Amino acid sequence: MATVGDGPRAGKAKDFDIVATYYRLLAEDPDLTMPVAAIEALIELLVQSRAVTIYETLDLVKTQSDYLKSRVPNSISLSAGTDLFQRYIISSLKPTSTGSFEAVRQHLLSNGRLFVSRAKAGRERIAAYGRHFVRDGSVVLTHGGSRVVGALLAKAAEASASGGNVRFKVIYVMNDARSSESKTVVSALRAKGVPVATISEGAVGYAMGKVNLVIVGAEGVVENGGVISRLGTYQIALLAKAAGKPFYVAAESHKFVRLYPLGQYDLGIDQEVIDFRTEDEKDPAQEEGKSTGTVPKPEEKSEGSPSSPAQPKQAVDAVDFTPPALVSALLTETGALTPSAVSEELISVWY
């Protein structure tokens, strides 16, 4: 039987690397979300699959989904897509289905592609609906590179440029670890005529007094209505709550994930954001650089300066958990949802 890269056996499928396919899809389409990329990768797997029974198909999809999640450091977002697609297959590939298995499989593939197209269209629906939350004269605070938030603000800017009466400003929280992404978001908004002020993460509390609402994106929306998003979202939500400012989360429904964390450390991923060391302990990254000969030259230090200044640990892909009590509403393609409504949405999909 053929194998999939270094991964599990793929049954009667051709040679197929689902991890490479997943990353290729993300690279080819910068606007693609991780759950949708995972679903498209699974569809490509089924296209090349030689499975001839329902059991083989289900086993193949489950095995490859688990393998993909094991090879991606932060698999929370993509797991929403893989789990949803597996549920879709179970409901589609029933033993009572009429016709040959090949006809059923082709029906599954065509409907799977339709599902992907609808998931992509969800972003524009959220933007069209969510722009009404941006009122005339308001100041919106946001951070990160959420595509749906960018589409929402762009839609609000287009309404203003086309003769509408909505004029708003944006305060954008810069991320030093993702400076290029931050600059891209700011430039895109300014190009549409939106006045944007940039602040550091340490200035969020200071700026909150001028903010009317906060809008952020999400990598995943969990069962209790809480949100898993870019590191720093939680502290922004805390400050917004303390200042009495509404905190909105814009997220597509395919990011709803079956996970019930009770706190920051129940996400099931090892992020290594907090790393305790003494002066005698070396940074593993620096030690690895020494072994490969890629350690940068130390900067010249003046007399009396510390020999090894402490540097903050930058977790580029780290996320945090924002509890539902801090979320005012979730802006989805079906409208605004309260955090408590998320569990009902998941029940309607899974049961």
Side-chain angles (χ1 to χ4, degrees):
M1 290 185 291
T3 58
V4 180
D6 295 327
R9 293 189 177 274
K12 294 185 178 181
K14 300 176 183 178
D15 287 343
F16 184 82
D17 189 337
I18 192 168
V19 178
T21 303
Y22 169 76
Y23 283 117
R24 174 178 60 78
L25 290 168
L26 288 175
E28 290 176 351
D29 187 356
D31 290 332
L32 201 64
T33 61
M34 288 182 281
V36 174
I39 293 172
E40 287 196 342
L42 289 174
I43 290 176
E44 289 197 19
L45 170 69
L46 292 181
V47 169
Q48 299 189 31
S49 171
R50 295 176 182 172
V52 294
T53 66
I54 293 175
Y55 176 80
E56 285 181 331
T57 302
L58 292 175
D59 182 66
L60 175 65
V61 172
K62 184 181 185 306
T63 302
Q64 293 301 304
S65 295
D66 292 342
Y67 177 61
L68 176 61
K69 289 188 283 188
S70 71
R71 297 298 297 269
V72 176
N74 179 5
S75 62
I76 293 174
S77 184
L78 74 88
S79 66
T82 57
D83 293 349
L84 189 61
F85 190 68
Q86 287 182 69
R87 175 58 184 169
Y88 168 74
I89 289 180
I90 291 173
S91 63
S92 299
L93 294 180
K94 296 178 180 178
T96 57
S97 300
T98 58
S100 65
F101 175 78
E102 181 60 26
V104 174
R105 193 175 78 92
Q106 291 302 323
H107 173 74
L108 170 65
L109 291 174
S110 62
N111 280 5
R113 296 187 181 98
L114 178 62
F115 175 84
V116 169
S117 64
R118 288 176 177 175
K120 291 179 178 179
R123 183 182 306 160
E124 291 302 318
R125 294 177 62 184
I126 295 173
Y129 176 80
R131 71 179 180 85
H132 297 292
F133 284 79
V134 181
R135 305 297 181 91
D136 184 41
S138 61
V139 177
V140 181
L141 185 140
T142 188
H143 85 134
S146 170
R147 302 170 186 86
V148 67
V149 173
L152 189 156
L153 295 176
K155 186 71 71 174
E158 290 172 5
S160 176
S162 61
N165 59 355
V166 178
R167 295 171 296 275
F168 66 98
K169 301 176 182 178
V170 171
I171 297 178
Y172 184 86
V173 183
M174 300 293 287
N175 187 335
D176 292 338
R178 290 176 173 264
S179 59
S180 60
E181 176 191 75
S182 298
K183 292 176 181 178
T184 300
V185 173
V186 172
S187 298
L189 288 172
R190 287 175 174 168
K192 292 185 177 294
V194 179
V196 181
T198 59
I199 62 173
S200 65
E201 293 174 323
V204 173
Y206 175 85
M208 195 60 71
K210 291 187 176 292
V211 172
N212 297 106
L213 71 159
V214 179
I215 304 178
V216 299
E219 292 198 11
V221 180
V222 298
E223 293 183 58
N224 60 4
V227 175
I228 298 173
S229 189
R230 181 73 57 81
L231 187 68
T233 304
Y234 176 48
Q235 63 192 28
I236 293 176
L238 284 172
L239 290 168
K241 185 72 171 181
K245 305 301 172 69
F247 182 88
Y248 299 117
V249 178
E252 303 93 329
S253 59
H254 63 252
K255 291 183 178 179
F256 288 11
V257 60
R258 292 196 303 169
L259 186 66
Y260 203 108
L262 299 177
Q264 300 297 329
Y265 316 115
D266 296 329
L267 303 182
I269 55 177
D270 185 13
Q271 304 192 92
E272 300 182 354
V273 175
I274 302 173
D275 182 17
F276 294 103
R277 292 200 306 269
T278 65
E279 194 67 27
D280 296 332
E281 294 175 305
K282 303 299 183 182
D283 188 342
Q286 293 182 353
E287 290 298 312
E288 182 180 355
K290 287 181 180 179
S291 63
T292 58
T294 59
V295 179
K297 293 182 179 180
E299 297 180 359
E300 294 184 2
K301 299 177 283 293
S302 59
E303 185 177 354
S305 63
S307 59
S308 180
Q311 297 293 331
K313 190 173 183 66
Q314 293 185 336
V316 177
D317 298 321
V319 295
D320 59 27
F321 170 64
T322 301
L326 302 178
V327 179
S328 302
L330 295 159
L331 308 181
T332 72
E333 60 266 43
T334 58
L337 301 178
T338 61
S340 60
V342 173
S343 59
E344 298 178 7
E345 288 289 318
L346 284 169
I347 289 173
S348 67
V349 171
W350 287 91
Y351 304 103

